[in-house]
Structure formats: C-alpha cells, structure tokens
Amino acid sequence: MPLLEVRDLTMRFGGLVANDSVSLHVDADEIVGLIGPNGAGKTTLFSCISGTLRATNGQVLLEGQDVVGQTPEEICWRGIARTFQIVRTFREMTVLENVMVGALLRASGTSQARVDAEEVLELTGLAHKRHVLGAGLTIAERKRVELARALATRPKLLMLDEVMAGLNPRERQEAIDLVRTAHARGIAILMVEHVMEVIMPISDRVVVLTNGRKLLEGRPEAVSRNEEVIKAYLGERYRAVIAEPPAC
Amino acid sequence: MTTVDQPSDSTSMPAGPGLDPTALPPERSRGRAASASRLAVGAIAALVLLGLPLVLEAQRLVHPLHILIMICLYATLAQAWNILGGYAGQISLGNAVFFGVGAYTSTLLMTRIGLSPWLGILVGMFVAVLVSLAIGYPCFRLGGHYFAIATIAVGEIVQTLFINWREVGGASGIHLPLLPEAFVNFQFHSSKLPYYYIALAMAAIAFGCAFLVERSRLGYYFRAIKGDPLAARSLGVKITRYKLYAIAISAALTAMAGTLYAQYILVIDPESVLPLSLSVLICLVAVLGGIGSIWGPLLGALVLIPLSEGTRVYLAQSGGGGRAIDLMVYGALIVLVAVFQPGGLVAISRRFRGRG
Ligand SMILES: Nc1ncnc2c1ncn2[C@@H]1O[C@H](COP(=O)(O)OP(=O)(O)OP(=O)(O)O)[C@@H](O)[C@H]1O
Ligand SMILES: [Mg+2]
C-alpha cells in the first residue's frame, strides 16, 4: 500500500477546474517530483491533500484511509506536513519559536519541544539564527524556516512547494542536501519545483501536471525525454541540459 | 506541563576547545549580577506595593488608596484581555460581559441564598467561562476584525438583556446589603486597605496566569494563531480549541475582578458593569501598555487609571456633565500610541533601557 494515494481528485473554483481527476501516489521511501507550468494546479493539489482546501471530488488516502474532509490539523497529526509557496513565517516569533510550534505537535511540553526544535535547527543549518525574529529573515531563510517547521512535526510525508525558488545556487545546493537528509531519515517527499536541474536528479519519479490534468508520470529520464513534456513545459532550452545524464 | 529532561547533545559531548571552562565564569557572573539586580528591583517593588498603602492609610489619604485599588483592578482586567487579545490576537471589545457576569453572579448568590462572595467568585468565574465558550464558539468562525465587531454586538445584547431583566434589578441594578465587616463577607467598612490587598492579590493571580501561559504550549500556540492561523493549522495547532482556551482564561480572570468591583462599590447596574465603554477602556489599558507582553497591562493601568480618575474627579468638581472628556483623552492617547509607538509603553521603556 502506498503511503499517499490520490484518486481522481477534482477541485473546482466556481467554473474553473484547477485539478481535473488527478491520480498519483507516493510510496513510503520515495521522492516524487511534481512539475507543470504556472497555474497548472500544483499548489491547489497540495492544499487539497493537506486539508487547507476541501476537494470537490475524489479521495486522498493516507495509509489507506481517506482524509478528505479532515481539518489541516488532523491531517498534520496523521503525518503529512507541507510548506507554503508564499511563506507564512510567524513574524513576531523567533526562528526557534517558529520551529517549536511544529515540534510541540509531538512533544510532551515546551522543554521537550525546545530540545526537538534545536535538533531540527542544527539539521537545517539555522542554529545560528535561532533568536532572530521571523520578520528579520531573508526570503531564503524564511523558506528554510518553513521547511524546518514542517520537519519538526515529524511527518511521514513532507510536501514542499517551491522551497528552492529565489535561492542562489549555493543556497539551492544546501536545500537539496537538506531534502536528501530528510529522505534519508525515512521521510517520503512530494515536491513542486520549477527548476528542472533540481527536480530531475533528486526525484525517483516525476508527475507532470498541465491545465489541472496529469499529463504523464515516470522516471525523470523518461519524462524529460518525452516530446509532449518538452513542448508543453520544458521548452527547447531544456533539451540541451538533459543531453548529459543526471547524476543521482 | 511535564518537563522531560532529555540529555541534550552538549552534555554527551566531550569538552573540546569550544567548551573551555575558563571562558564561562565571566558570563556566569554577569548573569548573576543581572539576576541580583532584578531581585533587588523586585524586592523594592514588593515593598512599595505592600507598604505604600499603609502610609496612605496612616495619613488618611483615602482617594490615592482608591486609585491604587483601581490600578490593580484594571491591571487585572487588562492582563485578562491581554491573554486573549495580546497573545492570541483575538481582539475583544466585549470583555465587560465577563465582568458583569462575575459581578452579578456573586452578588445574586449572596443576596438570594446568602452564599459568601468568596464562593460566589468561583461560581461567577465558572459561569463566565461557560458564557465565553458560548460567545467564542460562533464568533471565532469570523476571521480578523469581524470577531471584534461581533463581540461589540454581543456586549450590547447582554447589556440590553440585563436592563430589561426585572428579576435582577433591571436598569437600576442591585444595591448590595451592608453586612458586618468580615473577611468571609468580603466587606470592609472602616478601611479600604483590605480591598487594596485583595485587588493586589488578584492582579498577581492574573500576572501569574499570563506568566504560565507565556511559557507553556498555550503561549506558543496563541502567538502562532495570532501570527498566521493557516500556518498554525498546518503545523497541527487546533486553533478553534486554543482560541476557546484563551477566551475562557480571559473570562475567568475578568469575572473574578467583577466580584471585587461589586463588593467594593456595593452597587452594580448594567450601566456600570456591562457598558461598551468599559470593554473599550480594558482594551485601551492593554494596548497603551503594550499588547502581547506581560508588563504592558500593568504599565497601561499605571498611566491611564490615575489619568481617568483624575479627569473624573476634576469634572465632578467643576460641575461635571462632560463624561465624554475622558473618552477624548483616551482617544488622543491611543492615536499617539498608534502613530508613534505601536508597541505601547513597554516598547518605550525598553528603548530607554537601551534594549531596542
Ligand atoms: N482560491 C482560489 N480561488 C480561485 N481560483 C484559484 C484559487 N487558487 C488557485 N486558483 C486558480 O487555480 C489554478 C491553479 O492554481 P495553482 O496555484 O494551483 O497553480 P500552480 O501550479 O501552483 O502554479 P504556480 O506554478 O504559479 O505556483 C489557477 O488558474 C489559479 O488562478
Ligand atoms: Mg503554486
């Protein structure tokens, strides 16, 4: 049984169909990439899975149990954590306190949560920023706090919505390493990223979404060689990039 | 909340050059000096708080003692508001409801069945909690400013209800019967001093609650809800439940102060314990002092209450009639705070102490 299975999920906003009968799954030990042009419905799909939006139709099975209709807090408790594409840092709380809010989900109290949060800060390279207020962080740091907070809830599945957008190459490399570290700790990952150079080498499988529909899915090499994907999304520019096989 | 002592990494780490023990003593002694000076400040403050009223009493200065009682009362009310509005970010303009519920409950229990107001306080707090949950459950569904507006509406409804409720005195309210001066009766006629110490104890309880909240799961969750409710939910925070905790704590503390008011003034009516102006004043004290910080309510009460009592006395002596003047003064103060220092007096005092 896959960890997460989305079956025929449809999300309508009035007349607009943002997700049109999308099905996908994520196994417990996988990193799955979700790509697609702007407005394809990637963030909407994340919101439906995490309970922020209620899907119009379809099922979201977490370990075989349908979670559609459950609140975001219940779904988080069950083991799905997400980050927000447009970061939602608690501006008046320090980095440590931001992460402690996540850690408190499974900690017995604040002292336990502080220990857990410190460990996550260490892991995410934020330890030296622990006493900085959320409002005083750069966008790259906020994205990292977003990830650290989600990680602190000890999820089974981590959903990352463009955590690498706007990062410089060095920061991006650190973020990639961080995703690999989380994965190595047994967390399954579903990530949205526009940067093909990031998503292709790191993903076990890639799902392509266009106009709310799943165009195709497959191994990164297959997907990036697919003519339709190249036409619909990647553009001619990317052909050159995949000429050399991605190092994994 | 249980404290789980887990071995942290630093304890199991061998002392390397980074942990040179000789580097520690200066840090420690600086910390010790800071905590010693803090202790001294605390001791002086305690002496003043406990001793000053004795001096006032000996000099027969009744009015200043009254002002001190009012400062403690409003510090309690503002701290109760602060837990809900300052920490959890749910701006209430209806906290007078809880004040009135506390005052009426203990008073009715005393006049009808002769229950000691000390037990009446507890019943009043309990009733106020139930009322707060009944208000909070529907109103918290309204996001942002709509919650504040809804609490105004609820406050007006409750006041109108009491004005028209003949069994509890209607618009003319209830005069508390004079009972022999005794602790159990919560009545003291020869001196205001006992009222002062009770008010001080209540303020201490409210501050103790805020202190505990700040350090517990509640405090973190309240601030997360204030910061970004959607992000809080996605991190597993049951926001409706925690907002209800916040309003319940706020209501209980406010009702406690309501009983004190009733026993001190000995007359309550909808115009004195349930008006919108009281809800606004409670909010103003907290905002002026600085919301979301533990010292804000005290600072706000220290500044605003003498001012409010002063203008009231001055207006009464000069023929009175201009009750709106004090509201104009509050209004001007709020505008000043909002424009120049949204952090309130707490932020100003911090700046003077050079802590930015
Ligand atoms: N709350 C909403 N109400 C109405 N329409 C919405 C809402 N959220 C998203 N949409 C629409 O749904 C479609 C999919 O949006 P979504 O944000 O999911 O795309 P995306 O794939 O995440 O795009 P991007 O790469 O730009 O982040 C868009 O047309 C968008 O305008
Ligand atoms: Mg998006």
Side-chain angles (χ1 to χ4, degrees):
Chain A
M1 188 202 301
L3 176 62
L4 173 80
E5 188 177 1
V6 176
R7 277 194 200 153
D8 299 323
L9 188 141
T10 299
M11 181 72 216
R12 286 200 189 87
F13 296 111
L16 183 115
V17 186
N19 289 148
D20 189 356
S21 208
V22 177
S23 296
L24 61 82
H25 73 273
V26 181
D27 285 326
D29 56 354
E30 266 188 317
I31 299 182
V32 176
L34 181 61
I35 63 171
N38 292 112
K42 306 179 295 291
T43 299
T44 304
L45 186 63
F46 267 30
S47 295
C48 289
I49 294 171
S50 66
T52 315
L53 287 173
R54 194 194 166 119
T56 318
N57 263 313
Q59 289 176 308
V60 176
L61 305 173
L62 178 61
E63 293 175 320
Q65 243 190 340
D66 194 359
V67 297
V68 170
Q70 293 191 3
T71 60
E73 46 270 41
E74 280 168 333
I75 291 173
C76 181
W77 171 253
R78 284 174 179 278
I80 298 182
R82 73 172 291 187
T83 66
F84 289 93
Q85 183 176 355
I86 298 163
V87 292
R88 290 177 168 271
T89 321
F90 304 125
R91 298 171 57 86
E92 289 176 24
M93 300 175 85
T94 64
V95 168
L96 174 63
E97 289 167 340
N98 264 275
V99 178
M100 278 177 69
V101 172
L104 274 166
L105 181 66
R106 300 194 206 276
S108 56
T110 50
S111 39
Q112 166 87 59
R114 185 167 291 116
V115 173
D116 294 350
E118 286 286 3
E119 194 193 317
V120 174
L121 289 180
E122 213 59 63
L123 188 75
T124 52
L126 280 166
H128 63 296
K129 294 275 177 187
R130 57 164 71 79
H131 295 308
V132 179
L133 285 182
L137 297 173
T138 65
I139 192 71
E141 288 161 350
R142 282 183 207 193
K143 294 231 165 198
R144 196 175 290 208
V145 169
E146 195 83 9
L147 207 159
R149 269 188 339 195
L151 214 47
T153 66
R154 299 217 210 116
K156 292 172 184 156
L157 172 68
L158 186 58
M159 301 202 298
L160 305 174
D161 198 350
E162 300 199 21
V163 285
M164 317 225 180
L167 303 194
N168 68 36
R170 192 180 52 84
E171 291 163 341
R172 194 186 287 165
Q173 190 51 52
E174 286 168 356
I176 293 170
D177 293 343
L178 189 51
V179 171
R180 286 224 168 89
T181 310
H183 182 240
R185 293 188 162 207
I187 299 172
I189 300 202
L190 176 61
M191 62 190 295
V192 169
E193 210 61 64
H194 277 297
V195 190
M196 288 307 112
E197 293 82 347
V198 169
I199 202 104
M200 291 302 178
I202 204 175
S203 302
D204 298 314
R205 204 148 46 78
V206 174
V207 176
V208 187
L209 218 58
T210 50
N211 290 322
R213 293 220 181 115
K214 187 165 90 175
L215 185 65
L216 83 157
E217 70 172 287
R219 295 199 46 82
E221 314 83 77
V223 168
S224 50
R225 260 183 235 112
N226 183 290
E227 282 299 321
E228 243 183 310
V229 175
I230 292 169
K231 259 213 304 264
Y233 181 37
L234 301 176
E236 293 303 314
R237 185 184 61 87
Y238 191 69
R239 230 186 261 275
V241 180
I242 54 159
E244 61 212 78
C248 214
Chain B
M1 215 124 291
T2 47
T3 311
V4 182
D5 259 5
Q6 278 218 338
S8 68
D9 286 59
S10 59
T11 51
S12 56
M13 214 150 55
L19 288 171
D20 182 3
T22 55
L24 286 174
E27 277 292 325
R28 285 238 175 107
S29 65
R30 209 180 304 145
R32 207 174 284 156
S35 72
S37 80
R38 210 178 259 182
L39 209 69
V41 169
I44 291 168
L47 259 174
V48 171
L49 285 173
L50 294 171
L52 179 64
L54 291 172
V55 176
L56 295 176
E57 173 81 359
Q59 303 291 319
R60 293 256 143 238
L61 291 168
V62 176
H63 190 64
L65 193 51
H66 169 70
I67 290 184
L68 285 184
I69 293 171
M70 284 302 166
I71 289 174
C72 290
L73 182 79
Y74 275 95
T76 308
L77 293 173
Q79 190 66 278
W81 186 94
N82 189 37
I83 289 171
L84 176 62
Y87 288 101
Q90 307 300 306
I91 306 295
S92 159
L93 290 172
N95 264 26
V97 169
F98 312 135
F99 190 74
V101 165
Y104 269 96
T105 305
S106 63
T107 300
L108 286 169
L109 286 172
M110 189 192 73
T111 55
R112 297 287 161 86
I113 62 167
L115 191 71
S116 163
W118 291 109
L119 293 173
I121 279 194
L122 299 178
V123 181
M125 291 166 77
F126 181 70
V127 175
V129 166
L130 294 183
V131 169
S132 76
L133 298 180
I135 294 173
Y137 194 74
C139 291
F140 283 140
R141 282 155 193 269
L142 308 167
H145 301 302
Y146 294 105
F147 174 74
I149 293 167
T151 58
I152 295 179
V154 169
E156 293 296 283
I157 291 168
V158 171
Q159 193 190 18
T160 311
L161 207 85
F162 272 77
I163 288 173
N164 294 296
W165 192 355
R166 299 277 286 281
E167 287 72 22
V168 300
S172 51
I174 307 173
H175 284 260
L176 280 77
L178 283 186
L179 299 177
E181 174 161 327
F183 184 78
V184 64
N185 289 337
F186 205 138
Q187 284 195 16
F188 312 94
H189 310 303
S190 56
S191 161
K192 285 182 190 296
L193 217 46
Y195 286 116
Y196 170 75
Y197 287 118
I198 292 169
L200 186 64
M202 286 187 178
I205 289 171
F207 277 75
C209 282
F211 183 85
L212 291 178
V213 162
E214 201 176 77
R215 274 154 187 73
S216 71
R217 177 187 298 268
L218 289 176
Y220 287 86
Y221 279 7
F222 288 175
R223 289 161 66 207
I225 291 167
K226 179 187 181 183
D228 191 322
L230 185 54
R233 297 187 75 178
S234 298
L235 294 170
V237 180
K238 294 178 173 149
I239 66 168
T240 307
R241 175 186 295 201
Y242 278 88
K243 286 180 192 173
L244 290 174
Y245 288 154
I247 202 171
I249 296 170
S250 190
L253 293 171
T254 305
M256 173 180 80
T259 297
L260 168 66
Y261 177 88
Q263 294 300 127
Y264 175 53
I265 306 292
L266 292 175
V267 50
I268 55 169
D269 58 40
E271 196 42 57
S272 61
V273 299
L274 286 166
L276 175 61
S277 61
L278 174 62
S279 295
V280 173
L281 182 55
I282 292 170
C283 166
L284 289 193
V285 170
V287 171
L288 180 77
I291 60 174
S293 97
I294 200 160
W295 294 110
L298 181 62
L299 276 177
L302 276 173
V303 171
L304 205 50
I305 298 314
L307 202 70
S308 144
E309 292 291 321
T311 46
R312 205 167 57 80
V313 169
Y314 172 76
L315 290 173
Q317 282 166 353
S318 63
R323 247 196 82 72
I325 303 258
D326 53 349
L327 286 179
M328 282 168 63
V329 174
Y330 305 155
L333 272 171
I334 287 305
V335 171
L336 285 176
V337 170
V339 171
F340 293 109
Q341 186 47 270
L345 295 171
V346 164
I348 294 175
S349 77
R350 248 183 229 145
R351 196 192 293 162
F352 275 113
R353 284 160 59 193
R355 288 214 273 132

